[in-house]
Amino acid sequence: IEAYIGLLGRAPDPAGLAYWAGELDAAGGTTDAMKKLTNDITLNAEWTGGTQGSLLAADGSITLANAKTLVVDIYQNLFERAVVTDADQTYWAEQLVDGTVTASEMTVLLIAAAQEKGNADAQTLALKEEAAEYYVETVTQEQFNRDSAGDSVSAVDSPNSLAESKAATDLIATATGNDYVLSSTVTEATVVFTGAADTVTGTFGTDKTYNGGTLADISASDNDSLTLTGDKSTLTLGTTTDIENI
């Protein structure tokens, strides 16, 4: 779970966690096995095309500036903080540039060091791990998406933020989604969004049912849609918040 948090900035999906846990068990659960599995994560398209992987050149090399950015991202994902000193940032960045460590190896080393010291970083990481575990145990594979998995661990650094993360996960797990067809009686004001995928359809122009009212979802990481059809060449869209597909 910590590898997902550090490298991908999210909780695992249920199927993904089951796969990697099985691979780790089969490899004996050693540090070397953990390094291999985290390296495999960095070969995945999600990582190579994501915030961290895109900092590397096509041949796998990385500039010092990009390496420093990568170090900051891993620290933020794991410990919800910036690197303490410029010297620490430069140390890890130079290690990445000259190939002494890879991003996955650095992640494993930071996790192991924090857990060994039992310091504030270890406490933050434990809170994030608990949030991720709760997410993966509560949300089904069908309910999973990368945005909500990221939200489940992002900014978790205290008991209060952990409780907020769990409440948001519960919202995803219990929501079923609503479908609305706008009409003279079903208006923007009567639409109730959930933590699941909601759909709203309507018309504009002649005989319009969409009036440009506010449509605001309660979740920024589900899969809502607003579909409007009409006989005018232009549409003035009202305030829409956290509706993923328009």
Side-chain angles (χ1 to χ4, degrees):
I1 286 179
E2 298 98 325
Y4 270 85
I5 295 171
L7 293 168
L8 300 177
R10 66 169 174 86
D13 60 292
L17 179 61
Y19 171 78
W20 288 114
E23 290 289 296
L24 186 58
D25 287 344
T30 63
T31 300
D32 286 342
M34 183 66 174
K35 287 181 180 179
K36 178 185 182 302
L37 293 178
T38 53
N39 182 66
D40 287 346
I41 289 176
T42 62
L43 299 177
N44 185 282
E46 180 183 354
W47 190 86
T48 57
T51 303
Q52 296 179 9
S54 60
L55 294 169
L56 277 66
D59 62 0
S61 63
I62 188 169
T63 65
L64 183 62
N66 281 358
K68 288 183 176 181
T69 300
L70 179 56
V71 171
V72 169
D73 195 71
I74 293 174
Y75 265 81
Q76 187 66 36
N77 284 353
L78 290 174
F79 309 129
E80 205 60 35
R81 68 169 177 85
V83 186
V84 174
T85 67
D86 289 341
D88 284 341
Q89 184 183 19
T90 300
Y91 168 79
W92 284 113
E94 290 177 344
Q95 297 272 304
L96 291 167
V97 170
D98 65 22
T100 303
V101 298
T102 63
S104 61
E105 290 169 343
M106 174 187 162
T107 300
V108 172
L109 290 170
L110 288 175
I111 291 168
Q115 292 174 337
E116 181 179 352
K117 292 177 182 178
N119 55 13
D121 285 342
Q123 294 171 13
T124 298
L125 183 57
L127 289 167
K128 286 178 174 285
E129 183 179 4
E130 184 175 344
E133 284 181 350
Y134 189 81
Y135 178 89
V136 78
E137 291 171 358
T138 305
V139 171
T140 66
Q141 187 67 32
E142 291 71 26
Q143 293 169 325
F144 166 85
N145 67 60
R146 291 175 183 173
D147 288 338
S148 65
D151 290 343
S152 73
V153 297
S154 176
V156 173
D157 59 0
S158 69
N160 285 343
S161 54
L162 173 61
E164 291 172 358
S165 170
K166 289 183 176 181
T169 294
D170 288 338
L171 190 62
I172 295 169
T174 58
T176 57
N178 293 325
D179 297 319
Y180 293 95
V181 178
L182 298 177
S183 66
S184 58
T185 56
V186 180
T187 67
E188 291 91 319
T190 64
V191 171
V192 177
F193 284 94
T194 71
D198 305 293
T199 64
V200 180
T201 58
T203 59
F204 65 94
T206 306
D207 299 324
K208 67 178 180 180
T209 60
Y210 173 73
N211 298 299
T214 297
L215 292 169
D217 189 23
I218 62 174
S219 171
S221 54
D222 47 17
N223 195 31
D224 307 304
S225 64
L226 169 63
T227 304
L228 301 170
T229 57
D231 56 5
K232 299 291 185 181
S233 59
T234 60
L235 164 67
T236 301
L237 196 64
T239 301
T240 58
T241 305
D242 294 331
I243 299 176
E244 289 75 18
N245 307 291
I246 300 178

